[in-house]
Amino acid sequence: MLSADRYFDPSPAVRDIARRLYQRVAGLPLVCPHGHVDPRMLAENTPFPDPAALLVIPDHYVTRMLYSQGIPLERLGVPSLDGTPVETDPRKIWQIFADHFYLFRGTPSGCWLTHELQDVFGVTEPMNGATAQRIYDQIASQLAKPEFRPQALFDRFNIEVLCTTDAATDTLEYHKQIRDSGWKANVRPTFRPDRAVDLLNPAWREEISRLGKTTGQEITNYSRYIAALEDRRRFFKQMGATATDHAVVVPYTGELAMRDVEALFDRALRGEASPEDNFKFSGHMLMELARMSVEDGLVMQIHPGSLRNHNRAVFARFGPDRGCDIPLATEYTRNLQALLNKFGNDPRFMLVLFTLDETTYSRELAPIAGHYPAVRLGPPWWFNDSLEGMERFRRQATETAGLYNTAGFNDDTRAFPSIPARHGLCRRVAANFLAGLVARHVIDLPDAEAAVVDVSYNLVRQTYRLAK
Amino acid sequence: MLSADRYFDPSPAVRDIARRLYQRVAGLPLVCPHGHVDPRMLAENTPFPDPAALLVIPDHYVTRMLYSQGIPLERLGVPSLDGTPVETDPRKIWQIFADHFYLFRGTPSGCWLTHELQDVFGVTEPMNGATAQRIYDQIASQLAKPEFRPQALFDRFNIEVLCTTDAATDTLEYHKQIRDSGWKANVRPTFRPDRAVDLLNPAWREEISRLGKTTGQEITNYSRYIAALEDRRRFFKQMGATATDHAVVVPYTGELAMRDVEALFDRALRGEASPEDNFKFSGHMLMELARMSVEDGLVMQIHPGSLRNHNRAVFARFGPDRGCDIPLATEYTRNLQALLNKFGNDPRFMLVLFTLDETTYSRELAPIAGHYPAVRLGPPWWFNDSLEGMERFRRQATETAGLYNTAGFNDDTRAFPSIPARHGLCRRVAANFLAGLVARHVIDLPDAEAAVVDVSYNLVRQTYRLAK
Amino acid sequence: MLSADRYFDPSPAVRDIARRLYQRVAGLPLVCPHGHVDPRMLAENTPFPDPAALLVIPDHYVTRMLYSQGIPLERLGVPSLDGTPVETDPRKIWQIFADHFYLFRGTPSGCWLTHELQDVFGVTEPMNGATAQRIYDQIASQLAKPEFRPQALFDRFNIEVLCTTDAATDTLEYHKQIRDSGWKANVRPTFRPDRAVDLLNPAWREEISRLGKTTGQEITNYSRYIAALEDRRRFFKQMGATATDHAVVVPYTGELAMRDVEALFDRALRGEASPEDNFKFSGHMLMELARMSVEDGLVMQIHPGSLRNHNRAVFARFGPDRGCDIPLATEYTRNLQALLNKFGNDPRFMLVLFTLDETTYSRELAPIAGHYPAVRLGPPWWFNDSLEGMERFRRQATETAGLYNTAGFNDDTRAFPSIPARHGLCRRVAANFLAGLVARHVIDLPDAEAAVVDVSYNLVRQTYRLAK
């Protein structure tokens, strides 16, 4: 069912080289420096409950597409915050999913799911309304086996390292539990303090209070706030973190004078921060967080340009991460100038930039990464983590940024069993892209053979400071 | 002359599948839900006057290109509004066109014209200065025959349904005449009230006056205006309309308080509306028109982002639609948020979004269509209705929006004899795109065989509520 | 080492046609209407000093990439303005370059350098750390020979005409020296008055003073300023110039009232011009410079959208043109409307537009060039002067602008020995693009054979008024 040549250019002149290049990386361990796998799942290692709970309900790539065609999220079993009853029979949810599996034709979810079903669960018949329940049975019976528990899958997937994403106030208890368990997996936290930085988030005040408790000193002013963040970074680093992550709407950077930021922070504590305050604070904090990264060596990631929870009715009923975040045009050249001028030439600093606005690849991001020593380009993110999206990235960024200012792949997923499918797709696209360069005589085969390993394995380890 | 493999990828691995897929849709009827064919031409069914009047003078894709190379529109017989004399000899106009036919190399007009000349008129020699008059004679002799009259061509083209575009105040008399004539063609109007909504259009006051007369009640305030638009929508619906269409510069949406919009409308009636008033009114009216669509079921189309009549000298002499409209960067995520939050989850609502700004495909439009149940993406519009334009759309939109949140094809043309060429090009590109997915093992052949029919025929009928 | 099929589509159906088309243009003379070769180098015709001084130190495409990977510019011998010592041993610089040559995999610099090394200098082994010094020796020994002096290379490269870029106050002494030398080369200046127009440039006042001296009348007001610019244009034209060039951040155009521009200019003379003054003056001067072009027939070029010297630390130490200019999103439709409405329909005017923002190809630039008679699109500029960049340009601009509203190629280079490599790459991509159109039956072979010569040779000569 899965062709050995899948995702390669069908022209033999390229495909034959792509095959050869892919062979060099197909078996390399998976490096997962950025993602949303729940560490509790790995720590507790309890069996996955059922196929719908594993593959449909929590995957907003899947539920979003079904919703876009008129299927209410309630019918898909997505848990509601407001008490609205939702479907609880996983077989009914699975049937809807299978009835509409044709919606995923030509999408990355379609590719990943097809790969997962076959390679992880051994499903060999196509998914549709008629086969739905048979496939359900097959997956359910697999999930009951010990070799389908999370830790067994982690080992089978050949994951060299997996980094989770954790709030500044997270206790990292499941990371401790994994460490203490004797299981030899390399699972690391990532410091993502968004909730403590976004002054307009309704949960900000509570997060600041939690931050004070966690660090043992109430946060009554800006200096204590900064000290608390630094304290948590030290803790994360002790727990194995090598990176931080920051989501902002606009990647504006700019330092405020100390007295101004202190006054602004006081307003925020009193619940009086304005949108303009929040914008300035975001720009100031990116500077501060970059300064901390220079000092403690944690790699800084910035993920800008998503307007979260665009659909307020869905957000009100089902909460965040339900597929209703919509990207915005994003400007980097002027917005990042302050940060790059202050830290971009510093050899201690590593900054990984992401985007949902592909127009910035050739216009802004590749020129920035092709100049500033601190900058690496993150792989195509979210909607663009796809066959065509990765090809556009390589075609639009490589000529100006080069291959070596890119940060390798990350799967950015909470869908644990999709990890091999995602890395496999990326490695195939990389092999195919480099094969195209060889076939057009832009580079020669030995160069491509070295580059495919760098792009698929070495660069991500170097960028995220994960190389042993 | 026309290759059976035209527009397909020349690599046999793709081409052979594309051929097979195209065979499934080549003979399907043409569904034309959006275009600018003059209903009077169809109703009166008089012969087309001559080749230049049919293929050159009214086609702004053609005259624009000739003008860009220094040929005055006067020499092309484009009628002037200011009394400037223009060429009246169709043979001279045709000669200029043929002398410069090389300008259309690699353009969609070149593809369409080559197809039309051969398939509709039987011309088999290449167009150039030497063949110009022979080809003129050949076409002219065809046009004299009964089988080249509009209705005969309509039937020969296998048009299942054709929707015209009509002002809110249009009497639809030619639609009535077609209905009453016994001719069995399915020709429908589309409600496009732009002239009645754009407060800064010099013709607005006059259109409002006409709207009052048409609906039998003078429009003296906002409530009567809304009532009149609703009245006209009922009439259009009775006359077979299934859709409305709205051109705006910026797709901003946002409701005004009733007292504010009433005051604003009063200012407009007094001729005192400011550009800011017009912007706000446009945003408010998109909300109102969406509300009406939810209630009456007419599919709403939005065509934003064209700066009309950029070249004022050409506009002053020759009027609108002369090829001097230039696109603008267009933002959808924030602009449409009000409308989508209010109506985007409503199962009664269908909204088809168009763009001239291709950067929004992957960044904004596909994420919006891949989430909101009401939204479908219109096909590549205007300058992007082309081989490369359609490929970019499919490559950039499909992975996030899926195939099934797209609205199929529409030809958007006033060039009646180009209709088969335009649909043919689109169907070939669709077959080729899907063949590429099969050849790269993204989908399998049975999936592609189903999808090519959906994309070429079923989706457009469903989206525009034209399925029998 | 260099494949005869390099850069062609590897699919035989395209490649075989591409080969055939390329044969028609491979031997045509090189037309270089825009670039940065130093006329002094050509006039004095002294030998190039050493391989590093020729190929590494002055090439900001090369030093930028090495810098982005952490190699200080000091170690690359880039001369500092502030007295910081830099590497002076060319062999050490060359060794670093060779050690990191893998960074240029998949970049245009990689393509050009590989071509140059083999075709100009006869190097046949791959560049790396081990071969570095042997290759250095080989190039150094070539550079000592008379046939590697600038004039000999110019003749060997088959350059039909080469235009330099020169400040308004340049004496053009080296152009005179070439003229007087009896060497038959066609070397022309280009009028680029940026330093005299950018009021915020610290060197503006001095340039105005120099402009006064050069034209024999002190510039005490706006009228004298305009007269001086006109005077210099006459001089440039006498010296063979056929074009002007203008760099602006934003391509805003708009005329100021005479009294306003006079007052603004007086403020600038007093050192009191604000950023807003500068913006308005830039827009006004583009109008004035266009007016002058209409009158004197010099082709006007606009290069907008680069934020120069983004990295201030590098600028402070090493000055401009060190690879730290970063592009900005650029708007043309509204910004150019005033200029195009006033001059865009004038048959005497020729305006060549460039961009670093590829999103404008299909959205703004192709529609503008496909309508206004005065406008031609410049080739992909700077970061986009590359295999993929040129393909994107052709694919995104051709369908709307046509082939004949494009301005052919220019190499825009200060790297003299890279000229054949750059033109070769462009001609190959053009042949390959047209071959793709033939293979997809969009145009036929005779059309492509005519078009490839137009695109590679005729159009650039016509656009820049260089045809003999």
Side-chain angles (χ1 to χ4, degrees), chain B residues 7-270:
Chain B
Y7 316 140
F8 295 156
D9 190 312
S11 163
V14 178
R15 186 196 59 202
D16 296 351
I17 304 168
R19 266 185 204 158
R20 184 164 165 174
L21 294 176
Y22 179 63
Q23 282 317 312
R24 298 184 80 90
V25 296
L28 292 176
L30 308 187
V31 179
C32 309
H34 176 90
H36 300 271
V37 168
D38 185 353
R40 180 174 182 175
M41 177 198 82
L42 293 171
E44 300 191 338
N45 199 31
T46 47
F48 295 109
D50 65 70
L54 180 61
L55 298 176
V56 181
I57 300 169
D59 187 339
H60 61 70
Y61 290 72
V62 167
T63 54
R64 164 186 89 79
M65 182 65 87
L66 297 168
Y67 183 72
S68 77
Q69 287 280 316
I71 300 164
L73 294 178
E74 290 85 345
R75 289 188 59 208
L76 297 170
V78 176
S80 67
L81 302 176
D82 62 359
T84 307
V86 306
E87 182 58 59
T88 55
D89 180 347
R91 285 188 177 273
K92 284 193 183 160
I93 295 165
W94 189 260
Q95 186 67 44
I96 294 172
F97 174 51
D99 288 343
H100 295 86
F101 198 72
Y102 70 92
L103 296 176
F104 299 99
R105 286 174 184 156
T107 71
S109 293
C111 293
W112 299 328
L113 287 164
T114 303
H115 179 116
E116 259 173 278
L117 289 170
Q118 177 168 342
D119 249 34
V120 180
F121 298 107
V123 173
T124 53
E125 55 186 345
M127 268 280 272
N128 54 50
T131 61
Q133 297 304 323
R134 268 202 310 279
I135 293 174
Y136 184 96
D137 289 337
Q138 185 175 354
I139 298 172
S141 76
Q142 305 273 42
L143 293 179
K145 297 178 190 168
E147 61 264 39
F148 284 83
R149 293 215 178 178
Q151 292 187 1
L153 286 176
F154 188 103
D155 295 339
R156 172 179 156 195
F157 291 167
N158 195 18
I159 296 174
E160 180 176 305
V161 54
L162 182 145
C163 302
T164 63
T165 297
D166 312 273
T169 52
D170 196 289
T171 59
L172 305 183
E173 60 182 307
Y174 299 107
H175 288 84
K176 277 184 214 138
Q177 191 177 327
I178 291 167
R179 276 195 174 190
D180 298 345
S181 72
W183 181 42
K184 293 292 170 216
N186 190 353
V187 179
R188 296 166 180 272
T190 300
F191 182 73
R192 180 159 173 174
D194 292 351
R195 208 161 42 213
V197 175
D198 178 5
L199 307 178
L200 298 186
N201 187 325
W204 180 75
R205 196 64 200 75
E206 191 189 327
E207 181 74 356
I208 293 301
S209 165
R210 199 180 299 118
L211 186 60
K213 280 181 198 123
T214 311
T215 57
Q217 190 172 40
E218 195 188 351
I219 293 175
T220 51
N221 59 39
Y222 177 71
S223 301
R224 287 195 174 180
Y225 168 73
I226 291 295
L229 290 175
E230 288 173 336
D231 185 74
R232 294 307 293 164
R233 291 172 72 107
R234 277 190 295 275
F235 173 65
F236 270 69
K237 211 174 151 182
Q238 283 164 21
M239 292 298 296
T242 70
T244 71
D245 188 24
H246 310 283
V248 289
V249 179
V250 177
Y252 165 72
T253 61
E255 256 175 318
L256 295 170
M258 183 54 81
R259 83 164 46 173
D260 292 335
V261 70
E262 285 172 347
L264 192 163
F265 192 84
D266 291 346
R267 283 199 296 282
L269 284 178
R270 295 194 305 269

Side-chain angles (χ1 to χ4, degrees), chain A residues 52-250:
Chain A
L54 179 62
L55 298 175
V56 181
I57 299 168
D59 187 340
H60 61 68
Y61 289 72
V62 168
T63 55
R64 164 187 88 80
M65 181 65 87
L66 297 168
Y67 184 71
S68 79
Q69 287 279 315
I71 300 163
L73 294 178
E74 290 86 345
R75 289 188 60 209
L76 298 171
V78 177
S80 67
L81 302 177
D82 62 359
T84 308
V86 307
E87 182 59 60
T88 55
D89 180 347
R91 286 190 177 273
K92 284 193 183 159
I93 295 165
W94 188 261
Q95 186 67 44
I96 294 172
F97 174 51
D99 287 343
H100 295 86
F101 197 71
Y102 69 92
L103 295 176
F104 298 98
R105 286 173 183 155
T107 70
S109 293
C111 293
W112 299 328
L113 287 162
T114 302
H115 179 117
E116 260 173 277
L117 288 170
Q118 177 169 340
D119 250 33
V120 180
F121 298 107
V123 172
T124 54
E125 56 185 345
M127 266 280 271
N128 56 49
T131 60
Q133 297 304 322
R134 269 203 309 279
I135 293 174
Y136 184 97
D137 290 338
Q138 186 175 353
I139 298 172
S141 77
Q142 305 273 42
L143 293 179
K145 298 178 189 167
E147 60 264 39
F148 283 84
R149 293 214 178 179
Q151 293 186 1
L153 286 177
F154 189 103
D155 295 338
R156 173 178 156 195
F157 291 167
N158 195 19
I159 296 174
E160 179 176 305
V161 54
L162 182 144
C163 301
T164 63
T165 296
D166 312 274
T169 52
D170 197 289
T171 59
L172 305 182
E173 61 182 307
Y174 299 108
H175 288 85
K176 278 183 214 139
Q177 191 176 328
I178 291 167
R179 277 196 173 190
D180 298 344
S181 72
W183 180 42
K184 294 289 170 222
N186 191 352
V187 179
R188 295 167 180 271
T190 300
F191 183 72
R192 180 157 173 174
D194 292 351
R195 208 161 43 214
V197 176
D198 177 6
L199 307 179
L200 299 185
N201 187 326
W204 181 75
R205 197 63 200 75
E206 191 188 327
E207 182 73 357
I208 292 301
S209 165
R210 198 180 299 118
L211 186 60
K213 281 182 196 121
T214 311
T215 56
Q217 189 172 41
E218 196 188 350
I219 293 176
T220 51
N221 60 39
Y222 177 72
S223 300
R224 288 194 174 180
Y225 169 72
I226 290 296
L229 290 175
E230 289 172 336
D231 184 74
R232 294 308 291 163
R233 291 173 73 106
R234 277 190 295 275
F235 173 65
F236 270 68
K237 211 174 154 182
Q238 284 163 20
M239 292 298 296
T242 69
T244 72
D245 187 25
H246 310 281
V248 289
V249 178
V250 176

